[in-house]
C-alpha cells in the first residue's frame, strides 16, 4: 500500500512515498522511501521504534529515528555525508507488500548506482533490501551486489536501529561481555574490553563492539517487554545514546528525548566488506518482541 505524506509524526513535510506492510491485528511496518527508512513497526498497536518529534521528512537529510540504512560508509566520510548516501537517497520498490503463504507480509526495496552515488563513490552496485513482517518479528535481508566486471570495492553496512523505551536507564543489553570495543566518547581510539555481563546506559554512550555474538537481548523496551536481536554476517554491534549533552547539540532531536530511545545497531563496520566483481554479500537481522 502506498500513501503520500511524511510517514512520520511530523506532518508539515514535503510529500514522500511511504509503503505500509499491514499483517492485521494492528501489526504493521511503515517504510519511508527516503533512505528506505523503517519509520514505524507496530506489534499489536504497540510502536517498537523511536522517531524524534523533531525528525524532518524533507528528503534532504536522514530521518532521525526508526531504522536508517547505513551504506557504504559508517561514520564520517571524505566523499559524502556521514553514514553514507543510502539513508538520504530515494529507494525503489522492488516488490510491493505481499502476503506470503505463512501469513507474513513481504516487501522489497532496492537502489542501484546512479550519477549521484557515482559522484561520491564511483562503483557499480545494486543493493536489495527485503523486509518480512511476522506476528512479533521483523526480518531484514540485505544483498549487496558488485555488478561490475573488473573492479573490487569495499564498504560498511549497518542498520541504525532506534528502539523506543520507557526509560533507557532501566534497559540492559546482553551478549557484549568480553567483547572489545572502540569508545567514540573518549575518542582516544583505544580498544577497551567489556567486563559487564549486561550493559546499561547511564551516560553519553557511543561504542562500536567488535566480533559480537549473533544474539542480544534488550530488556525493558516498550511495555517492559524484551527485544531479541539476531544478526547474521553483521560482526559488530554499535550502542549509542546521546544523553543530555549530545541531545542538546542534535538539531532534529529533542533535548528531553534521550531517555526514550536506545540505539543497538547490527553492522559490518570495524572492517570493511571487500566485494570482488560479480559477487554478492548478504547479511540479515531478526528483531523479535518477547
Ligand atoms: O551509531 C552511532 C553514531 O555513529 C554516533 O556516533 C552518532 O553520530 C549517531 O551515529 C548519529 O549519527 P547521525 O549522522 O545520524 O547524527
Amino acid at each position: 500500500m502506498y500513501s503520500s505524506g511524511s510517514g512520520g509524526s511530523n506532518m508539515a513535510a514535503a510529500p514522500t512515498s511511504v509503503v505500509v506492510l499491514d499483517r492485521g491485528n494492528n501489526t504493521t511496518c511503515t517504510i519511508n522511501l527516503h533512505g528506505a527508512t523503517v519509520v514505524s513497526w507496530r506489534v499489536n498497536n504497540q510502536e517498537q521504534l523511536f522517531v524524534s518529534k523533531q525528525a524532518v521528512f524533507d528528503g534532504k537529510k536522514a530521518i532521525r529515528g526508526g531504522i536508517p540504512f547505513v551504506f557504504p560508509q559508517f561514520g564520517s566520510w571524505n566523499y559524502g555525508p556521514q553514514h553514507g548516501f543510502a539513508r538520504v537517497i530515494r529507494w525503489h520498490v522492488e516488490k510491493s507488500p505481499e502476503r506470503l503463504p505463512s501469513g507474513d507480509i513481504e516487501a522489497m526495496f532496492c537502489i542501484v548506482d546512479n550519477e549521484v552515488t557515482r559522484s561520491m563513490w564511483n562503483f557499480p552496485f545494486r543493493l536489495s533490501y527485503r523486509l518480512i513482517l511476522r506476528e512479533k518479528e521483523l526480518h531484514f535481508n540485505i544483498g549487496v551486489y558488485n555488478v561490475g566486471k573488473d573492479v573490487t570495492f569495499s564498504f560498511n553496512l549497518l542498520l541504525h536501529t532506534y528502539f523506543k523505551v520507557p526509560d533507557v536507564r532501566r534497559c540492559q543489553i546482553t551478549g557484549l561481555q568480553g567483547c572489545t570495543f572502540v569508545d567514540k566518547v573518549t575518542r582516544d581510539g583505544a580498544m577497551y574490553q567489556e567486563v559487564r555481563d549486561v550493559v546499561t546506559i547511564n551516560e553519553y554512550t557511543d561504542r562500536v563492539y567488535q566480533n559480537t555474538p549473533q544474539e542480544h537481548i534488550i530488556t525493558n523496551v516498550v511495555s517492559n517487554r524484551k527485544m531479541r536481536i539476531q544478526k547474521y554476517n553483521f560482526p559488530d554491534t554499535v550502542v549509542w545514546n546521546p544523553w543530555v549533552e549530545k541531545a542538546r547539540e542534535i538539531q532534529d532531536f529533542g533535548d528531553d528525548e534521550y531517555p526514550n530511545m536506545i540505539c543497538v545497531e547490527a553492522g559490518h563496520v570495524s572492517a570493511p566488506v571487500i566485494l570482488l566483481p560479480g559477487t554478492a554479500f548478504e547479511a540479515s537481522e531478526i528483531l523479535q518482541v518477547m
Side-chain angles (χ1 to χ4, degrees), residues 1 18 51 56 60 85 104 106 125 127 150 186 209 243 256-257 265 271 278 280:
M1 176 172 87
V18 162
V51 174
V56 295
K60 293 197 178 68
F85 50 69
D104 302 324
E106 177 191 63
F125 73 91
L127 221 176
D150 47 16
T186 60
Y209 287 90
W243 213 248
D256 59 351
E257 291 186 308
E265 311 156 22

Side-chain angles (χ1 to χ4, degrees), residues 119-145:
S119 70
M120 292 179 261
W121 192 64
N122 192 19
F123 297 106
F125 73 91
R126 183 172 190 284
L127 221 176
S128 176
Y129 187 24
R130 176 169 175 253
L131 297 180
I132 299 177
L133 177 64
R134 308 196 66 184
E135 188 182 355
K136 294 189 182 310
E137 300 174 14
L138 189 53
H139 292 219
F140 309 84
N141 296 307
I142 297 167
V144 183
Y145 305 90

Side-chain angles (χ1 to χ4, degrees), residues 68-71 74 156-160 234 238 265-269:
F69 194 109
V70 175
F71 172 86
F74 175 75
N156 296 145
L157 181 66
L158 174 130
L159 292 174
H160 198 294
F234 280 134
V238 178
E265 311 156 22
H268 197 303
V269 299

